[in-house]
Amino acid sequence: MSGLLALLDDVAALTKLAAAQLDDVTAQAAKVGVKTAGILIDDTAVTPKYVHGLPAARELPIVWQIARGSIFNKLVILLPIAMLLNAFAPWMLPPLLMVGGAYLCFEGAEKIWHLFHPEPLPVDDGNPIDHAHLEKQRVAGAIKTDFILSAEIMTIALSSIEASSLWMEGLVLAVVAIGITVLVYGSVAILVKADDVGLKMAQGAYFDATRSLGRAIVRGMPAFMETVASVGTAAMLWVGGSIIIHGLATFGLDTLEHFVKDKSAMVRDSVTFAPGLLGWAMEALISGIFGLAVGLVLLAVYGLGQRVFKRG
């Protein structure tokens, strides 16, 4: 009987330990999710363009294909690479983060550039559109873009985890990968089908209020999508700029980071309403301006490289 009671005590202790570990995994995954919010918003804003111009019946299957590719990117390719780097070459993480931050700045600056210098619309040559071929191209392009964003997410996650063991680190990364993918592509699925749902409500609902709501959804979705895209662009510049600023500080170049923190502290000390929020807003604004400057420089270098390559 004493042996059985001791065994039950051990089981209870293991159960408590497992519950505590799961709580720690959940808490750390949530913290990482906050730090990657900018990339998540942009990923959610960018993905709906890949179903534009394709049959409505194929929208959700396309989103599902991209989501599967995203899970494969994160769990099968990026998670093992991230774990190996952290175990054998942790010194590579800050430079990789800065490279990813520079890419985010480049993407954000490119979107702003195209806003003022839009590309000409493709000319209709009269040939029928091969939707199956177009769908394969769109899915492949979306998965490639997701790979870059996922690499940045996993690197940020890895740098933010405070795990006591290797398996705990891997578990947190896996939870982050799955949770982020579900959140992003679940949101995308809702966004791409919202106008269809609104149209059905406007045309076939029994109550006038429901039909009015449906019409409001149909009218409001284009503006809502534009807002999401704008927020995503701003978030890319803010996140990319802050990553580069912090990365420079790890190499001893901390003047800019001190400047950002000093301005943020000055705002918090000088206001009485929502000092934390306004201080963060100042920090995000400065980081975003710096990210835009970095992105424009990279965009100019990229354009120069393209011209030189064409001439060569």
Side-chain angles (χ1 to χ4, degrees):
M1 180 61 69
S2 61
L4 178 61
L5 291 175
L7 177 62
L8 291 176
D9 286 341
D10 291 340
V11 171
L14 288 172
T15 303
K16 290 180 180 179
L17 178 61
Q21 297 280 10
L22 288 176
D23 287 342
D24 188 34
V25 168
T26 304
Q28 293 211 44
K31 181 179 72 173
V32 171
V34 171
K35 290 195 173 184
T36 59
I39 306 174
L40 301 186
I41 294 172
D42 183 73
D43 207 359
T44 305
V46 166
T47 305
K49 75 176 184 181
Y50 291 104
V51 302
H52 180 71
L54 292 171
R58 296 300 304 162
E59 290 177 344
L60 291 183
I62 291 172
V63 173
W64 169 240
Q65 290 179 61
I66 300 172
R68 283 190 303 174
S70 178
I71 284 289
F72 184 86
N73 285 340
K74 293 183 179 74
L75 295 183
V76 180
I77 301 176
L78 294 171
L79 191 148
I81 293 175
M83 298 291 290
L84 289 172
L85 284 176
N86 197 39
F88 298 105
W91 55 269
M92 289 186 64
L93 291 179
L96 287 175
L97 272 172
M98 293 179 70
V99 170
Y103 173 79
L104 293 176
C105 294
F106 174 82
E107 283 284 298
E110 187 179 38
K111 290 179 181 180
I112 291 178
W113 177 264
H114 287 315
L115 180 65
F116 294 99
H117 302 84
E119 295 180 349
L121 295 175
V123 179
D124 186 7
D125 56 5
N127 294 324
I129 298 175
D130 185 352
H131 289 294
H133 179 67
L134 181 60
E135 178 178 325
K136 289 181 181 179
Q137 285 185 324
R138 294 275 184 88
V139 171
I143 292 175
K144 288 178 183 178
T145 301
D146 175 88
F147 182 85
I148 298 172
L149 295 175
S150 294
E152 186 68 8
I153 289 171
M154 298 296 278
T155 309
I156 293 174
L158 190 61
S159 67
S160 306
I161 294 173
E162 300 173 358
S164 56
S165 62
L166 189 64
W167 75 266
M168 175 67 72
E169 193 174 76
L171 184 57
V172 173
L173 276 178
V175 170
V176 169
I178 295 172
I180 283 175
T181 304
V182 171
L183 176 62
V184 168
Y185 291 101
S187 301
V188 170
I190 293 173
L191 289 175
V192 299
K193 300 306 291 184
D195 52 351
D196 293 339
V197 173
L199 184 61
K200 289 182 179 179
M201 292 170 59
Q203 293 177 343
Y206 181 78
F207 297 103
D208 290 338
T210 307
R211 290 195 295 272
S212 298
L213 177 60
R215 289 191 293 269
I217 292 174
V218 172
R219 288 194 300 265
M221 278 308 296
F224 179 76
M225 292 299 295
E226 289 291 333
T227 301
V228 171
S230 299
V231 171
T233 300
M236 288 182 82
L237 295 172
W238 153 53
V239 173
S242 62
I243 288 173
I244 295 175
I245 291 171
H246 181 69
L248 291 173
T250 61
F251 292 104
L253 304 173
D254 56 358
T255 303
L256 188 55
E257 186 175 57
H258 285 312
F259 174 78
V260 172
K261 290 182 178 180
D262 290 344
K263 293 301 180 182
S264 177
M266 183 180 69
V267 171
R268 286 196 299 270
D269 295 338
S270 61
V271 298
T272 56
F273 174 75
L277 176 62
L278 294 178
W280 170 86
M282 174 57 70
E283 184 174 341
L285 177 62
I286 299 174
S287 299
I289 294 173
F290 175 76
L292 178 60
V294 171
L296 289 175
V297 170
L298 293 175
L299 190 61
V301 172
Y302 176 75
L304 179 62
Q306 277 191 321
R307 288 193 294 271
V308 171
F309 180 77
K310 288 179 180 179
R311 290 174 184 174

